[in-house]
Amino acid sequence: MSESSWAARWLDLIESVPAFDDVALRRGADYAAFDWQLDVEIEAGRATTTASSGKRMRYLAVIVVPTMDDQQIADIVASIAAKTERMAAVLDGELPADLDHVLDIDPNLVVPSCSCQSVDVPCKHAAAVAHLVADAIEDNPFDLLHLRGL
């Protein structure tokens, strides 16, 4: 993952979320990397995964983020539509680098949760969601726009 990638920028944001500490993020990264059964579902304002521990233990892990308002969305659409080369880049699956404000999210408004009963809050399952989102964004930067409500 390149340092300037959208996925790296997402992880920078996640590292600033007060609910997460280094231990939780490290455990979540390991869990996301080594559990091949984890898939992330991204929708406006939330990303979820169903994690498991054994055959009967299944947990719903979620990260909630604020969506952009109508004006922010209109500004992004206008920015992309303003130049033909920007529109072409978007159609090729590239998100323009100058749309940094997509990640202008107050870290205090990023809320991880999980249905497991772990004493670690947030648990490795919730932290794994953050890393799964980074993986999804690395594959398709538009998942970030979808997460933010576009």
Side-chain angles (χ1 to χ4, degrees):
M1 183 179 318
S2 70
E3 283 304 311
S4 63
S5 75
W6 285 101
R9 292 179 199 180
W10 164 259
L11 288 175
D12 287 344
L13 167 69
I14 291 302
E15 289 173 359
S16 69
V17 172
F20 286 118
D21 61 23
D22 292 341
V23 173
L25 289 172
R26 189 171 46 255
R27 291 182 70 220
D30 290 345
Y31 191 71
F34 296 111
D35 190 331
W36 55 269
Q37 296 177 1
L38 292 177
D39 290 316
V40 67
E41 181 178 325
I42 296 174
E43 56 189 301
R46 68 190 266 138
T48 59
T49 194
T50 302
S52 63
S53 292
K55 292 182 180 181
R56 298 187 323 188
M57 307 293 268
R58 298 183 65 76
Y59 312 114
L60 180 64
V62 179
I63 290 184
V64 175
V65 299
T67 56
M68 295 181 289
D69 63 34
D70 291 343
Q71 185 59 54
Q72 290 170 309
I73 290 172
D75 290 347
I76 288 172
V77 171
S79 173
I80 291 170
K83 296 181 182 174
T84 306
E85 57 273 3
R86 288 175 69 84
M87 183 65 77
V90 167
L91 292 173
D92 281 342
E94 298 172 21
L95 196 56
D98 65 340
L99 294 181
D100 285 359
H101 56 281
V102 171
L103 281 169
D104 284 345
I105 301 171
D106 180 345
N108 294 301
L109 298 178
V110 176
V111 181
S113 64
C114 185
S115 63
C116 79
Q117 300 299 314
S118 175
V119 295
D120 299 326
V121 178
C123 66
K124 68 181 180 182
H125 310 116
V129 174
H131 290 280
L132 294 170
V133 169
D135 292 344
I137 292 170
E138 187 71 22
D139 292 340
N140 180 4
F142 292 98
D143 280 338
L144 176 59
L145 292 178
H146 187 56
L147 180 63
R148 293 301 317 278
L150 184 70

Short mmCIF file of all heavy atoms in Angstrom, two decimals, residues 1-14 93-100 102-103 131 133-142 144:
data_model
loop_
_atom_site.label_atom_id
_atom_site.label_comp_id
_atom_site.label_asym_id
_atom_site.label_seq_id
_atom_site.Cartn_x
_atom_site.Cartn_y
_atom_site.Cartn_z
N MET A 1 0.86 -1.17 0.00
CA MET A 1 0.00 0.00 0.00
C MET A 1 0.90 1.23 0.00
O MET A 1 1.74 1.38 0.86
CB MET A 1 -0.87 -0.09 1.26
CG MET A 1 -1.86 0.96 1.43
SD MET A 1 -2.89 0.77 2.93
CE MET A 1 -3.26 -0.95 3.00
N SER A 2 0.73 2.10 -0.95
CA SER A 2 1.58 3.28 -1.02
C SER A 2 1.18 4.28 0.07
O SER A 2 0.04 4.33 0.50
CB SER A 2 1.46 3.94 -2.40
OG SER A 2 0.19 4.51 -2.56
N GLU A 3 2.15 5.06 0.51
CA GLU A 3 1.94 5.99 1.61
C GLU A 3 0.87 7.04 1.28
O GLU A 3 0.22 7.54 2.17
CB GLU A 3 3.24 6.68 1.98
CG GLU A 3 4.17 5.80 2.79
CD GLU A 3 3.54 5.27 4.06
OE1 GLU A 3 2.93 6.03 4.83
OE2 GLU A 3 3.64 4.05 4.29
N SER A 4 0.73 7.38 0.02
CA SER A 4 -0.24 8.42 -0.34
C SER A 4 -1.57 7.83 -0.79
O SER A 4 -2.44 8.56 -1.21
CB SER A 4 0.35 9.30 -1.44
OG SER A 4 0.56 8.53 -2.61
N SER A 5 -1.72 6.54 -0.68
CA SER A 5 -2.95 5.91 -1.16
C SER A 5 -4.13 6.29 -0.27
O SER A 5 -3.98 6.67 0.89
CB SER A 5 -2.80 4.39 -1.19
OG SER A 5 -2.87 3.85 0.12
N TRP A 6 -5.31 6.15 -0.82
CA TRP A 6 -6.53 6.42 -0.06
C TRP A 6 -6.62 5.46 1.12
O TRP A 6 -7.08 5.85 2.19
CB TRP A 6 -7.74 6.29 -0.97
CG TRP A 6 -7.87 7.47 -1.87
CD1 TRP A 6 -7.50 7.54 -3.20
CD2 TRP A 6 -8.33 8.77 -1.52
NE1 TRP A 6 -7.74 8.80 -3.67
CE2 TRP A 6 -8.24 9.58 -2.68
CE3 TRP A 6 -8.82 9.34 -0.35
CZ2 TRP A 6 -8.63 10.91 -2.68
CZ3 TRP A 6 -9.20 10.67 -0.36
CH2 TRP A 6 -9.10 11.43 -1.52
N ALA A 7 -6.20 4.23 0.94
CA ALA A 7 -6.24 3.25 2.03
C ALA A 7 -5.32 3.68 3.17
O ALA A 7 -5.68 3.58 4.35
CB ALA A 7 -5.86 1.87 1.52
N ALA A 8 -4.12 4.16 2.83
CA ALA A 8 -3.19 4.62 3.86
C ALA A 8 -3.76 5.84 4.58
O ALA A 8 -3.63 5.97 5.81
CB ALA A 8 -1.83 4.95 3.24
N ARG A 9 -4.42 6.71 3.84
CA ARG A 9 -5.04 7.89 4.47
C ARG A 9 -6.16 7.47 5.42
O ARG A 9 -6.33 8.05 6.48
CB ARG A 9 -5.57 8.83 3.40
CG ARG A 9 -4.48 9.48 2.58
CD ARG A 9 -5.09 10.37 1.53
NE ARG A 9 -4.14 10.64 0.48
CZ ARG A 9 -4.41 11.39 -0.56
NH1 ARG A 9 -5.59 11.95 -0.69
NH2 ARG A 9 -3.50 11.60 -1.49
N TRP A 10 -6.94 6.47 5.02
CA TRP A 10 -7.99 5.93 5.88
C TRP A 10 -7.37 5.40 7.17
O TRP A 10 -7.87 5.68 8.27
CB TRP A 10 -8.78 4.85 5.14
CG TRP A 10 -9.60 3.99 6.04
CD1 TRP A 10 -9.29 2.74 6.48
CD2 TRP A 10 -10.87 4.32 6.63
NE1 TRP A 10 -10.29 2.27 7.30
CE2 TRP A 10 -11.27 3.22 7.41
CE3 TRP A 10 -11.70 5.43 6.57
CZ2 TRP A 10 -12.46 3.20 8.13
CZ3 TRP A 10 -12.89 5.42 7.29
CH2 TRP A 10 -13.26 4.31 8.06
N LEU A 11 -6.30 4.63 7.06
CA LEU A 11 -5.67 4.07 8.26
C LEU A 11 -5.08 5.17 9.14
O LEU A 11 -5.09 5.05 10.38
CB LEU A 11 -4.61 3.04 7.88
CG LEU A 11 -5.18 1.72 7.35
CD1 LEU A 11 -4.06 0.80 6.89
CD2 LEU A 11 -6.06 1.03 8.39
N ASP A 12 -4.58 6.24 8.55
CA ASP A 12 -4.12 7.38 9.34
C ASP A 12 -5.27 7.94 10.19
O ASP A 12 -5.10 8.26 11.37
CB ASP A 12 -3.56 8.49 8.47
CG ASP A 12 -2.21 8.15 7.87
OD1 ASP A 12 -1.54 7.20 8.35
OD2 ASP A 12 -1.81 8.84 6.90
N LEU A 13 -6.44 8.06 9.57
CA LEU A 13 -7.62 8.53 10.30
C LEU A 13 -7.94 7.56 11.44
O LEU A 13 -8.16 7.97 12.57
CB LEU A 13 -8.82 8.66 9.36
CG LEU A 13 -10.18 8.83 10.07
CD1 LEU A 13 -10.27 10.19 10.74
CD2 LEU A 13 -11.32 8.62 9.09
N ILE A 14 -7.97 6.27 11.13
CA ILE A 14 -8.33 5.26 12.13
C ILE A 14 -7.35 5.30 13.31
O ILE A 14 -7.76 5.16 14.47
CB ILE A 14 -8.38 3.86 11.48
CG1 ILE A 14 -9.58 3.77 10.52
CG2 ILE A 14 -8.44 2.76 12.54
CD1 ILE A 14 -10.93 4.03 11.16
N GLY A 93 -11.44 4.38 -12.60
CA GLY A 93 -11.34 3.87 -11.24
C GLY A 93 -10.37 4.62 -10.34
O GLY A 93 -10.00 4.14 -9.28
N GLU A 94 -9.96 5.82 -10.76
CA GLU A 94 -9.03 6.61 -9.96
C GLU A 94 -9.80 7.74 -9.28
O GLU A 94 -10.53 8.47 -9.92
CB GLU A 94 -7.94 7.20 -10.84
CG GLU A 94 -7.08 6.15 -11.52
CD GLU A 94 -6.14 6.77 -12.54
OE1 GLU A 94 -5.85 7.98 -12.46
OE2 GLU A 94 -5.70 6.03 -13.44
N LEU A 95 -9.59 7.86 -7.99
CA LEU A 95 -10.19 8.94 -7.23
C LEU A 95 -9.19 10.08 -7.17
O LEU A 95 -8.05 9.88 -6.76
CB LEU A 95 -10.53 8.45 -5.82
CG LEU A 95 -11.47 9.26 -4.98
CD1 LEU A 95 -12.80 9.49 -5.68
CD2 LEU A 95 -11.69 8.57 -3.65
N PRO A 96 -9.56 11.29 -7.62
CA PRO A 96 -8.61 12.41 -7.63
C PRO A 96 -8.01 12.66 -6.24
O PRO A 96 -8.73 12.68 -5.24
CB PRO A 96 -9.45 13.60 -8.09
CG PRO A 96 -10.56 12.98 -8.87
CD PRO A 96 -10.86 11.67 -8.18
N ALA A 97 -6.72 12.87 -6.20
CA ALA A 97 -5.99 13.03 -4.94
C ALA A 97 -6.41 14.29 -4.18
O ALA A 97 -6.29 14.34 -2.96
CB ALA A 97 -4.49 13.07 -5.21
N ASP A 98 -6.93 15.30 -4.88
CA ASP A 98 -7.27 16.54 -4.20
C ASP A 98 -8.64 16.51 -3.51
O ASP A 98 -9.12 17.52 -3.03
CB ASP A 98 -7.19 17.73 -5.16
CG ASP A 98 -8.21 17.65 -6.28
OD1 ASP A 98 -8.73 16.55 -6.55
OD2 ASP A 98 -8.49 18.69 -6.89
N LEU A 99 -9.23 15.35 -3.43
CA LEU A 99 -10.50 15.21 -2.72
C LEU A 99 -10.27 14.80 -1.26
O LEU A 99 -11.07 14.10 -0.66
CB LEU A 99 -11.41 14.19 -3.42
CG LEU A 99 -11.90 14.57 -4.81
CD1 LEU A 99 -12.79 13.49 -5.38
CD2 LEU A 99 -12.63 15.90 -4.78
N ASP A 100 -9.17 15.27 -0.70
CA ASP A 100 -8.81 14.93 0.68
C ASP A 100 -9.93 15.19 1.68
O ASP A 100 -10.01 14.50 2.70
CB ASP A 100 -7.58 15.72 1.13
CG ASP A 100 -6.30 15.20 0.52
OD1 ASP A 100 -6.35 14.22 -0.23
OD2 ASP A 100 -5.25 15.79 0.80
N VAL A 102 -12.78 14.34 1.70
CA VAL A 102 -13.61 13.15 1.90
C VAL A 102 -13.24 12.49 3.23
O VAL A 102 -14.08 11.91 3.91
CB VAL A 102 -13.43 12.15 0.73
CG1 VAL A 102 -14.09 10.83 1.03
CG2 VAL A 102 -13.97 12.74 -0.55
N LEU A 103 -11.97 12.63 3.62
CA LEU A 103 -11.51 12.05 4.88
C LEU A 103 -11.45 13.06 6.02
O LEU A 103 -10.87 12.78 7.06
CB LEU A 103 -10.14 11.39 4.68
CG LEU A 103 -10.22 10.02 4.02
CD1 LEU A 103 -8.84 9.54 3.61
CD2 LEU A 103 -10.90 9.02 4.93
N HIS A 131 -9.35 -2.33 9.10
CA HIS A 131 -8.34 -2.82 8.15
C HIS A 131 -8.98 -3.41 6.90
O HIS A 131 -8.45 -3.26 5.80
CB HIS A 131 -7.43 -3.84 8.84
CG HIS A 131 -6.54 -3.18 9.85
ND1 HIS A 131 -5.39 -2.51 9.49
CD2 HIS A 131 -6.65 -3.05 11.18
CE1 HIS A 131 -4.82 -2.02 10.57
NE2 HIS A 131 -5.57 -2.32 11.61
N VAL A 133 -11.74 -2.32 5.61
CA VAL A 133 -12.14 -1.14 4.83
C VAL A 133 -10.94 -0.62 4.05
O VAL A 133 -11.05 -0.28 2.87
CB VAL A 133 -12.76 -0.05 5.73
CG1 VAL A 133 -12.92 1.27 4.97
CG2 VAL A 133 -14.10 -0.50 6.28
N ALA A 134 -9.77 -0.57 4.70
CA ALA A 134 -8.55 -0.12 3.99
C ALA A 134 -8.27 -1.01 2.79
O ALA A 134 -7.94 -0.51 1.71
CB ALA A 134 -7.36 -0.11 4.94
N ASP A 135 -8.41 -2.32 2.97
CA ASP A 135 -8.19 -3.25 1.85
C ASP A 135 -9.19 -2.98 0.72
O ASP A 135 -8.84 -2.99 -0.46
CB ASP A 135 -8.31 -4.70 2.31
CG ASP A 135 -7.19 -5.13 3.24
OD1 ASP A 135 -6.15 -4.43 3.32
OD2 ASP A 135 -7.37 -6.17 3.91
N ALA A 136 -10.45 -2.76 1.10
CA ALA A 136 -11.49 -2.49 0.09
C ALA A 136 -11.19 -1.19 -0.66
O ALA A 136 -11.32 -1.13 -1.88
CB ALA A 136 -12.86 -2.43 0.76
N ILE A 137 -10.78 -0.17 0.08
CA ILE A 137 -10.46 1.12 -0.54
C ILE A 137 -9.25 0.99 -1.46
O ILE A 137 -9.19 1.61 -2.52
CB ILE A 137 -10.22 2.20 0.54
CG1 ILE A 137 -11.52 2.51 1.27
CG2 ILE A 137 -9.63 3.46 -0.08
CD1 ILE A 137 -11.33 3.38 2.50
N GLU A 138 -8.28 0.18 -1.06
CA GLU A 138 -7.10 -0.03 -1.90
C GLU A 138 -7.52 -0.66 -3.23
O GLU A 138 -7.02 -0.28 -4.28
CB GLU A 138 -6.09 -0.94 -1.18
CG GLU A 138 -4.79 -1.10 -1.89
CD GLU A 138 -3.92 0.17 -1.86
OE1 GLU A 138 -4.09 1.02 -1.00
OE2 GLU A 138 -3.05 0.28 -2.75
N ASP A 139 -8.47 -1.58 -3.19
CA ASP A 139 -8.97 -2.22 -4.42
C ASP A 139 -9.89 -1.31 -5.21
O ASP A 139 -9.89 -1.35 -6.44
CB ASP A 139 -9.71 -3.52 -4.08
CG ASP A 139 -8.80 -4.60 -3.54
OD1 ASP A 139 -7.58 -4.53 -3.77
OD2 ASP A 139 -9.32 -5.53 -2.88
N ASN A 140 -10.68 -0.51 -4.50
CA ASN A 140 -11.66 0.35 -5.16
C ASN A 140 -11.85 1.61 -4.33
O ASN A 140 -12.64 1.62 -3.38
CB ASN A 140 -12.99 -0.38 -5.32
CG ASN A 140 -14.04 0.47 -6.00
OD1 ASN A 140 -13.76 1.59 -6.44
ND2 ASN A 140 -15.25 -0.04 -6.09
N PRO A 141 -11.15 2.69 -4.66
CA PRO A 141 -11.25 3.93 -3.87
C PRO A 141 -12.67 4.47 -3.74
O PRO A 141 -12.98 5.19 -2.81
CB PRO A 141 -10.37 4.92 -4.64
CG PRO A 141 -9.46 4.09 -5.46
CD PRO A 141 -10.20 2.82 -5.77
N PHE A 142 -13.56 4.08 -4.64
CA PHE A 142 -14.93 4.56 -4.58
C PHE A 142 -15.69 3.99 -3.38
O PHE A 142 -16.72 4.53 -2.98
CB PHE A 142 -15.67 4.29 -5.88
CG PHE A 142 -15.12 5.12 -7.00
CD1 PHE A 142 -14.21 4.59 -7.88
CD2 PHE A 142 -15.47 6.45 -7.12
CE1 PHE A 142 -13.65 5.37 -8.88
CE2 PHE A 142 -14.93 7.24 -8.11
CZ PHE A 142 -14.02 6.70 -9.00
N LEU A 144 -14.69 4.32 -0.49
CA LEU A 144 -14.59 5.41 0.48
C LEU A 144 -15.73 6.40 0.28
O LEU A 144 -16.37 6.83 1.24
CB LEU A 144 -13.24 6.11 0.36
CG LEU A 144 -13.04 7.32 1.27
CD1 LEU A 144 -13.20 6.95 2.74
CD2 LEU A 144 -11.67 7.94 1.01
#
